[in-house]
């Protein structure tokens, strides 16, 4: 928008008082803005106001216009106003103020944000479920097995336990601890003379 408005500002200066040239340039600017936004909905045009200074070609209302119906129903956040720096030539001040309707852009951004939020929530739920399952399988289940073994040994340290019938505890580290408990139990039994 900014570059196109700056270009129209240069055309505004170049045109001087040639109303036909200025009108054709403004028409091309309007059609470019309509194509840029994919503007097929006439109720919400992309370019909603245009003000070229100095005022000239008074009989041609197509050059300076303001879509009051659209502007009156728009929030300030949905409007983008681009004003060019005024240039003084021969006592005349040349400038452009263009107002753009960003409603469709805002709607698209909001919709993309909602899709991103749903995706992030889905991934959080999926990964937390995966993490919980891994924690249960790799950490909690082996510790619960070791606690069951310790409880059995604490109740009757002289009993001959069949540790092989118990489920295998997780990975290498927890399995090493379980084997150590089994060996300590065997040493206890030898110490008590069983």
């Amino acid at each position: 928008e900014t570059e196109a408005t700056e270009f129209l500002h240069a055309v505004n200066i170049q045109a001087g008082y040639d109303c036909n040239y200025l009108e054709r340039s403004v028409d091309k600017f309007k059609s470019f803005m309509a194509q840029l936004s994919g503007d097929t909905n006439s109720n919400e045009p992309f370019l909603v106001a245009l003000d070229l200074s100095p005022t000239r070609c008074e009989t041609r209302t197509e050059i300076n216009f303001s879509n009051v119906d659209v502007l009156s129903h728009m929030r300030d956040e949905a409007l983008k106003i681009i004003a060019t720096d005024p240039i003084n030539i021969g006592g005349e001040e040349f400038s452009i103020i263009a107002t753009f309707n960003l409603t469709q852009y805002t709607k698209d951004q909001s919709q993309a944000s909602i899709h991103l939020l749903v995706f992030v929530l889905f991934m959080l739920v999926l990964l937390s479920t995966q993490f919980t399952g891994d924690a249960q399988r790799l950490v909690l289940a082996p510790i619960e097995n070791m606690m069951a073994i310790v409880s059995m040994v604490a109740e009757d340290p002289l009993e001959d336990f069949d540790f092989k019938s118990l489920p295998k505890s997780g990975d290498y580290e927890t399995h090493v601890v379980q084997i150590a408990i089994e060996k300590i139990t065997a040493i206890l039994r030898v110490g008590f003379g069983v």
Side-chain angles (χ1 to χ4, degrees), residues 8-17 22 26 50-57 63-64 83-89 91-98:
L8 185 62
H9 180 54
V11 169
N12 182 30
I13 295 168
Q14 187 72 23
Y17 286 90
L22 188 59
V26 168
L50 185 64
D51 181 30
L52 277 73
S53 295
T55 304
R56 54 202 188 277
C57 309
I63 294 177
N64 289 331
T84 60
D85 295 330
I87 295 178
N88 197 341
I89 298 175
E92 295 283 346
E93 194 170 272
F94 291 84
S95 66
I96 291 181
I97 300 173

Side-chain angles (χ1 to χ4, degrees), residues 2 15 29 51 60 64 76 88 90 94 106 116 118 123 129 148-149 170 172 174 186 191:
T2 304
F29 179 75
D51 181 30
R60 309 193 181 191
N64 289 331
D76 290 340
N88 197 341
F94 291 84
T106 307
L116 179 64
V118 169
M123 292 304 290
T129 304
I149 291 171
Y172 177 76
T174 54

Side-chain angles (χ1 to χ4, degrees), residues 77-115:
E77 295 85 19
L79 294 175
K80 181 177 182 180
I81 299 172
I82 298 176
T84 60
D85 295 330
I87 295 178
N88 197 341
I89 298 175
E92 295 283 346
E93 194 170 272
F94 291 84
S95 66
I96 291 181
I97 300 173
T99 306
F100 298 96
N101 174 3
L102 300 180
T103 304
Q104 188 59 43
Y105 173 76
T106 307
K107 287 178 183 177
D108 291 344
Q109 288 296 101
S110 300
Q111 191 175 28
S113 296
I114 289 171
H115 288 136

